[in-house]
Amino acid sequence: MSTVLQHYNHLHQIPELGFQEHQTAAYIANELEKAGYKVTRNINNTTGIVAEYDSGKPGPVLALRADMDALGHIIDGVHCARHTCGHDGHSSILLTAAEELIKEGSIKQGRLKLIFQPAEELGSGALAMIAGGAIDDVDMIIGLHLRPKDECPKGFASPAMYYSASTTVEVNIHGIPAHGARPHLGVNALDAAMMAIQAVNTIHLAPSLTYSVKATRCICDAGVTNAIPSKAYVCWDLRAPTNPAMDELKAKTLQAIKLSVEAIGAKADIEVSKEIPAAEIDNEVSQIITEAIVDVLGSEGLKDPIFTPGGEDFFNYPIERNVKAGFWGLGCDLTPGLHHPEMKFDLSALENGVKITKACALKVLG
């Protein structure tokens, strides 16, 4: 029988935040070494893992990638890590597929590389792996993600996930403090923050684009009720369907913040703290995934490509290294939604993930 549930049950019990996946990485690396892979740990001084199997014959280098990190939540007032995005499922699928591919002697040409990546939720894990040389010799890379039930039910899979670009902008606004009875002597940082939020809300891109930009955090407090606050912090979340659209949205956002704050004499320290690119998917790779899905689930189990406003740092791989990339979605009856603290899914769908992952590898290296 497949070991996917055994791996999942273990990983699910040890959720760890980005770049802190020490137990997770140790377990995965040990299991890969037992299976016969050459394993390199601590890629770029992180918890990242690269495992490799060389067939000894000429051929392409295929990388299969899974993310390992859990999400941070505040539950009943307690900060905790919890697997609410399915990364434990992704790692279990890839680990099981890797074991079976070697056991069955399926790799007939080229090399198979397994990328177990930290810190996807932080948006910096893929970049850390790239900087560590994880895909310098890779010709093609494939990733996957569990999907919500209303998007892709169990028994179905989508051959291409078109994620949007996402950007986080953090701004510290500096005004001038004053007594509440003498507002003319100060510059109200709260007023500046409100003006910046309103200015950003007036931004428009072409109506044909699915985009959004909105403030998601605002902190401002003078400490008392009768003083003009001199400092404010505001965070914006930006989403756009393409990388050029994100470039336009980001430029307009930064300009709106800067000019609106300066209009009343305040200053803004602006930081673009996280940038995740939109999907760059290769048609050849999507065709390979399509054929693999049909092999496993039949043509009736093949969903259309999915377009989502969510972000996925996987797409740094094709953008930074110009490698052919594909990314597919696995139906698993996931409810009530990704990142929900009570997220759950049908664990039996993990077997479909293992079979489709193996089928993809065989079409390239078999």
Side-chain angles (χ1 to χ4, degrees), residues 129-147:
M129 296 295 281
I130 293 165
I135 64 163
D136 283 353
D137 57 351
V138 167
D139 300 305
M140 180 184 299
I141 186 167
I142 297 175
L144 82 150
H145 207 295
L146 306 182
R147 303 316 305 160

Side-chain angles (χ1 to χ4, degrees), residues 121-313:
E121 298 295 350
L122 300 180
S124 51
L127 290 172
M129 296 295 281
I130 293 165
I135 64 163
D136 283 353
D137 57 351
V138 167
D139 300 305
M140 180 184 299
I141 186 167
I142 297 175
L144 82 150
H145 207 295
L146 306 182
R147 303 316 305 160
K149 183 176 182 178
D150 59 351
E151 184 179 274
C152 187
K154 181 192 170 189
F156 295 85
S158 171
M161 293 290 309
Y162 285 93
Y163 282 84
S164 295
S166 66
T167 298
T168 300
V169 175
E170 298 182 80
V171 180
N172 285 292
I173 297 172
H174 304 279
I176 299 173
H179 194 290
R182 303 172 185 85
H184 61 292
L185 298 179
V187 174
N188 194 325
L190 181 56
D191 286 344
M194 293 171 62
M195 291 180 67
I197 291 170
Q198 286 299 106
V200 170
N201 286 345
T202 66
I203 292 173
H204 298 289
L205 300 187
S208 59
L209 295 172
T210 304
Y211 68 93
S212 70
V213 54
K214 61 280 181 187
T216 55
R217 178 180 291 175
C218 183
I219 302 171
C220 184
D221 185 6
V224 294
T225 60
N226 60 349
I228 302 300
S230 62
K231 294 182 180 180
Y233 166 86
V234 187
C235 179
W236 280 268
D237 177 88
L238 290 69
R239 307 273 166 166
T242 66
N243 293 313
M246 176 55 77
D247 290 340
E248 180 184 358
L249 183 61
K250 181 173 62 176
K252 288 184 174 181
T253 298
L254 300 184
Q255 182 182 44
I257 294 168
K258 180 178 183 295
L259 296 180
S260 60
V261 166
E262 290 178 350
I264 64 167
K267 295 181 180 179
D269 291 333
I270 303 174
E271 178 187 4
V272 179
S273 58
K274 183 167 69 173
E275 293 187 89
I276 296 176
E280 296 283 350
I281 287 179
D282 183 85
N283 291 333
E284 176 189 347
V285 185
S286 289
Q287 183 59 37
I288 290 169
I289 297 170
T290 296
E291 294 173 4
I293 291 171
V294 171
D295 287 350
V296 175
L297 301 178
S299 58
E300 64 276 11
L302 181 66
K303 277 275 190 182
D304 290 334
I306 294 172
F307 294 82
T308 173
E312 169 58 68
D313 86 337

Side-chain angles (χ1 to χ4, degrees), residues 126-127 130-131 135-136 277 314-323:
L127 290 172
I130 293 165
I135 64 163
D136 283 353
F314 171 88
F315 295 104
N316 281 300
Y317 292 112
I319 289 174
E320 294 293 325
R321 287 295 183 268
N322 195 31
V323 60

Side-chain angles (χ1 to χ4, degrees), residues 59 90 93 103 140 205 240 325 332:
H90 306 159
I93 287 170
K103 184 177 181 181
M140 180 184 299
L205 300 187
C332 58

